[in-house]
Amino acid sequence: MAAKLSVRRLRKNDWPVVAGLFGHSGACGGCWCRYWFLPRGGKLWDEMKGPRNRRAMQADLAAGKVRGSLAFRGKKCVGWCCYGKTRDFPRLVNSKSLFRDPPHGSWSIVCFFIPLRQRGSAVASGLLEHAVKIISGMKSATCIEGYPVSLHAYADGQAPAAFAWTGVPKLFTRAGFRAYKRKADARPIYRLLLDR
C-alpha cells in the first residue's frame, strides 16, 4: 500500500531534495524550473539549459527567491509545484501568448513536476491544493492564475507529459478555477478570485 501523500512548503535548505527529485535532466531537458524566471526564450534559453539553470536555481532557492510546494510519500519526494507573484516571473509578464492585464495582487502557479511512476495518483491535485492554501494566506493576494496546456490540439485529448508541466484544465477546474475569457485560439488562462 502506498504511503499517504503529504505536502509542505519549500524551504531554503531544500536544494538536496529538489536536486534529487529533478534528477540529472533537471526535471525536463535541463530546465530546472527556470523557464518563467528568464525574460525571454530563444538563444538565452538555449544558453541557460543544463548546468547554468541548475546553478541559478540552487542560488535562488538558497536566497529565498523561489516559492513552491513539495509532495512526499513517506520520506520520498514525489512532486514539485512552483508559484509566486505574477510579476516575479519575467517571461510570464512578457509572454505574447499569455498577454493580458493581470489583476493587482495576482499570483501565478507556473510549474508542476511529478516523476512518471507517481503520475495519476493525485500528486498534482495535492500540490495545487497546498499552493492555493499558501497563496490565499497572503494578505496582498487577490487572484491566482494557472496556465494549463490546451488539450484541443491533441486528437486523443491527452497531452504528452513533457508538455503538460503547467497542468491541464481539469486539474484547475476541480480546484475551483474558472477559464478567463480569451480568443478561441489563445493559450488558456484559469483564475481563482480570492475573497477579500
Side-chain angles (χ1 to χ4, degrees), residues 117-129:
R117 288 186 179 184
Q118 299 293 334
R119 292 172 195 159
S121 62
V123 176
S125 296
L127 286 164
L128 179 59
E129 180 182 349

Side-chain angles (χ1 to χ4, degrees), residues 76-90:
K76 184 178 179 63
C77 186
V78 296
W80 157 271
C81 175
C82 182
Y83 51 84
K85 294 177 181 178
T86 301
R87 67 171 185 260
D88 289 345
F89 300 107

Side-chain angles (χ1 to χ4, degrees), residues 15 17-35 45 49-51 53-54 57 70 77-82 110-117 119 160-166:
W15 174 248
V17 179
V18 173
L21 176 68
F22 284 8
H24 181 72
S25 296
C28 184
C31 176
W32 291 96
C33 199
R34 299 302 298 172
Y35 183 87
W45 178 244
K49 282 192 292 189
N53 272 345
R54 179 188 168 102
M57 179 56 141
L70 294 170
C77 186
V78 296
W80 157 271
C81 175
C82 182
V110 295
C111 181
F112 295 88
F113 177 69
I114 298 152
L116 182 61
R117 288 186 179 184
R119 292 172 195 159
F163 299 149
W165 51 276
T166 53

